[in-house]
Amino acid sequence: MLAQLHTATIVGIDAVPVDVEVDIQNGLPQITIVGLPDTAIQEARERIRSALSNCGFQFPRTRVTINLAPADLKKEGSGFDLPIALGILVASRVLKPEQVYDVCAVGELALDGTIRPVRGGLLYGLCARKQKFKLCVPERMALQASYAEGIDVIPIKTLRDIVAILKSVSPVPKFVRPREEESSTPASCEDDMKYIIGQEQAKRALIISASGGHSILFAGPPGTGKTMLARTLATILPEPTKEEQLLVTRIWAAAGQLDPDAGLVHARPFRDPHHSSSAVALIGGGSKASPGEISLAHSGVLFLDECTEFPRYVLNTLRQPLETGRITISRAEHRMQYPAQFQLVASTNPCPCGNAGSEELVCTCTSAERIRYQKRLTGPLLDRIDMVVKVPRQKMKQSESISDLTSAKAKEIVEHARAIQHERTPGRQNSRLTRDEVIRYCALDDKGTELVRSLVNRFKISRRAVDRIVRLARTIADMRGAESIAFADVAESAQYRVSSEDIFPGC
């Protein structure tokens, strides 16, 4: 007898529908699984045999052929255990076809029939909603799957339980999502802006960066607060929207960064990879074309501490994602496109020893070492960074107190500026304005236009840099609540465009 069940497999950050066809024919006892299954699916035959037996069901002692359609799509993971087992029960006439025709089942079987969770509950929920199926998942996956609003999630514990539910012997359990406190980035005493003593210009730049989603580079000697400033950014960003939470959760679930029983990712991501990370770890890839750090940081912050310690070719992989907000990964068997609208925050020292340009300390680096250090941060990458801020050493005063500017106050400024941007261009920050939107919303007066023209003629800056200066000036004007961009806004924006000679003195 032929039976058909519905399930799904994860491809990128989506779950793709898969039909599980089970055919039982006379012949020597044999189980054949076709349809490009991986090793985990091939091993499912032994798990299913033991699970059925331990739950009181008889495994067919004939020829069993299992097809996973579409046959040209590679299937991966142990989540196929449950639909295959149910398909065998339908083909054995334990269940009727009409009892499973609108059911999408996902789960791994233990040898005693217990159903274990797999990653990607939200992805399976979204797929089931699109196909208008009921979703049968292990209990631990039900919470995450329930965020795909508009579907019936049936939490199950064992194979015996789901058979009883499908045969209407037991009532269908209704999953009710518990009330949870949806908080943004947890407040941290260590990362509050009030603990940053001095560095007023850097703090001002950080608030501007957060207000418009602009990338920023802090340059200065070690111990001046560059890392603390970067980590403070997570405490002043506004609450993510529900759509942003859903997309971030999809990315994290697909990358295996979430426990199966985790809910939505409510806080904006803050990713800080080590400088030994490879290009694949940073942008994604590998044999399965998995998401990388830039996609895991979507809607949040990617912090590259001591960015000039990263290999040059690794840093250069950021150029295209910074421009487009997405990354396309092509491999022999996969071609995936992932979102990557992250806010880049980086820091660097002026030289390997950190003392170049200092009046009090002596730089011990050779000219060759300083040049090699500088060249890791290439001109095309610097051209895509909106703001470069110097963070100098500061002398200790006799009386130093906690700053009056707290993260809570800074967050209010950021939220006000972003509210103005959302009203003007819904869902898009100033750093992501298109060329048409720049022309429409970022018009300069005569004095501002003349300043930009003089910058182009004197410093030979690119057209891309001009657009970024104008976008940044638009953000500064939004922070004031102004409809038009003033000359002072353009002047302040222009001061954040510095050359590599200013970042690396003496090179």
Side-chain angles (χ1 to χ4, degrees):
M1 180 180 176
L2 180 64
Q4 183 175 354
L5 266 294
H6 304 292
T7 187
T9 188
I10 295 178
V11 178
I13 59 172
D14 296 297
V16 179
V18 174
D19 290 333
V20 178
E21 300 172 341
V22 180
D23 185 35
I24 298 179
Q25 298 287 346
N26 293 330
L28 295 175
Q30 183 180 3
I31 305 175
T32 303
I33 303 178
V34 297
L36 295 182
D38 68 349
T39 303
I41 300 175
Q42 291 287 2
E43 293 176 347
R45 65 187 80 186
E46 303 304 329
R47 293 193 295 271
I48 293 171
R49 189 194 303 272
S50 297
L52 288 174
S53 176
N54 290 325
C55 287
F57 303 109
Q58 186 175 2
F59 193 87
R61 298 180 180 179
T62 56
R63 181 179 179 85
V64 179
T65 303
I66 301 166
N67 179 44
L68 307 178
D72 60 345
L73 177 66
K74 190 171 182 178
K75 323 299 187 307
E76 298 177 345
S78 56
F80 287 87
D81 291 7
L82 180 58
I84 292 175
L86 292 177
I88 292 175
L89 292 177
V90 173
S92 302
R93 293 184 172 86
V94 176
L95 293 171
K96 297 178 181 180
E98 57 268 20
Q99 294 172 333
V100 298
Y101 81 97
D102 62 345
V103 171
C104 177
V106 179
E108 176 186 329
L109 285 175
L111 299 185
D112 61 354
T114 303
I115 303 177
R116 293 171 174 161
V118 295
R119 65 182 174 94
L122 176 60
L123 307 184
Y124 292 114
L126 294 172
C127 179
R129 183 180 68 182
K130 186 176 181 179
Q131 301 297 318
K132 298 182 180 180
F133 292 147
K134 301 174 184 176
L135 182 63
C136 290
V137 291
E139 281 187 326
R140 287 182 58 192
M141 292 177 61
L143 173 61
Q144 191 179 123
S146 67
Y147 284 100
E149 306 288 350
I151 64 168
D152 293 330
V153 179
I154 303 175
I156 47 180
K157 293 182 179 179
T158 67
L159 182 61
R160 188 183 291 108
D161 292 340
I162 188 174
V163 172
I165 292 170
L166 295 175
K167 295 177 71 173
S168 300
V169 175
S170 299
V172 179
K174 294 183 179 180
F175 179 79
V176 179
R177 190 164 64 232
R179 183 181 180 86
E180 57 183 345
E181 297 294 331
E182 297 187 1
S183 60
S184 63
T185 308
S188 172
C189 294
E190 296 295 330
D191 296 332
D192 197 290
M193 187 172 283
K194 66 183 180 181
Y195 292 113
I196 302 177
I197 307 300
Q199 304 294 4
E200 300 302 325
Q201 182 184 7
K203 288 189 284 188
R204 162 77 175 173
L206 191 69
I207 296 174
I208 296 173
S209 171
S211 297
H214 301 282
S215 54
I216 186 170
L217 170 66
F218 291 113
T224 55
K226 302 186 297 295
T227 300
M228 190 173 184
L229 281 163
R231 294 194 176 278
T232 301
L233 180 60
T235 66
I236 66 175
L237 290 175
E239 307 275 348
T241 64
K242 188 63 174 291
E243 290 73 19
E244 288 174 329
Q245 293 175 4
L246 286 170
L247 183 52
V248 170
T249 303
R250 287 171 57 195
I251 298 171
W252 282 43
Q257 297 288 314
L258 291 180
D259 293 332
D261 54 355
L264 287 185
V265 179
H266 295 303
R268 291 190 181 274
F270 185 91
R271 308 291 298 186
D272 52 347
H274 190 260
H275 61 76
S276 61
S277 300
S278 65
V280 170
L282 195 63
I283 68 168
S287 60
K288 298 180 181 179
S290 303
E293 292 289 343
I294 63 173
S295 296
L296 295 171
H298 178 77
S299 295
V301 178
L302 177 68
F303 175 40
L304 301 184
D305 195 11
E306 303 296 345
C307 65
T308 38
E309 295 294 339
F310 284 77
R312 179 176 176 175
Y313 78 95
V314 173
L315 289 177
N316 282 335
T317 59
L318 297 175
R319 287 156 56 176
Q320 184 256 349
L322 280 172
E323 199 75 20
T324 63
R326 61 182 180 274
I327 181 69
T328 301
I329 302 172
S330 297
R331 295 295 183 266
E333 298 181 358
H334 300 277
R335 187 178 186 276
M336 302 295 178
Q337 187 175 92
Y338 297 117
Q341 290 190 12
F342 58 91
Q343 186 171 348
L344 176 65
V345 181
S347 67
T348 181
N349 290 326
C351 67
C353 77
N355 296 328
S358 174
E359 297 178 357
E360 296 86 6
L361 302 175
V362 178
C363 177
T364 59
C365 305
T366 64
S367 298
E369 289 175 337
R370 289 197 296 267
I371 292 174
R372 192 181 306 114
Y373 190 76
Q374 171 195 358
K375 284 187 175 181
R376 294 184 181 180
L377 199 59
T378 61
L381 180 59
L382 271 176
D383 202 41
R384 288 168 169 82
I385 296 178
D386 297 330
M387 308 175 70
V388 178
V389 182
K390 294 183 180 180
V391 187
R393 284 194 178 97
Q394 292 188 323
K395 295 182 179 180
M396 183 174 291
K397 300 178 182 179
Q398 290 184 349
S399 59
E400 291 185 345
S401 59
I402 293 178
S403 173
D404 293 333
L405 180 60
T406 64
S407 289
K409 292 180 180 179
K411 188 173 183 179
E412 292 177 1
I413 301 173
V414 173
E415 289 176 339
H416 172 71
R418 289 208 179 189
I420 296 175
Q421 297 169 47
H422 180 75
E423 184 177 352
R424 183 171 55 234
T425 53
R428 190 178 296 116
Q429 301 164 23
N430 286 339
S431 62
R432 297 289 176 183
L433 292 178
T434 64
R435 181 61 59 83
D436 289 339
E437 290 169 340
V438 169
I439 296 173
R440 182 177 179 182
Y441 300 116
C442 304
L444 305 179
D445 58 17
D446 293 340
K447 293 179 64 178
T449 303
E450 182 60 31
L451 175 60
V452 172
R453 185 183 295 113
S454 65
L455 290 173
V456 173
N457 295 333
R458 181 178 179 182
F459 298 104
K460 311 301 179 184
I461 63 176
S462 67
R463 180 64 196 182
R464 179 191 292 115
V466 171
D467 283 347
R468 292 184 180 275
I469 289 174
V470 173
R471 292 189 186 109
L472 188 59
R474 177 71 268 176
T475 299
I476 297 172
D478 289 340
M479 292 172 62
R480 296 188 296 108
E483 294 185 3
S484 59
I485 300 175
F487 174 78
D489 301 327
V490 183
E492 183 178 1
S493 174
Q495 74 175 350
Y496 296 115
R497 304 297 304 185
V498 300
S499 63
S500 59
E501 289 79 9
D502 295 322
I503 303 173
F504 306 103
C507 293

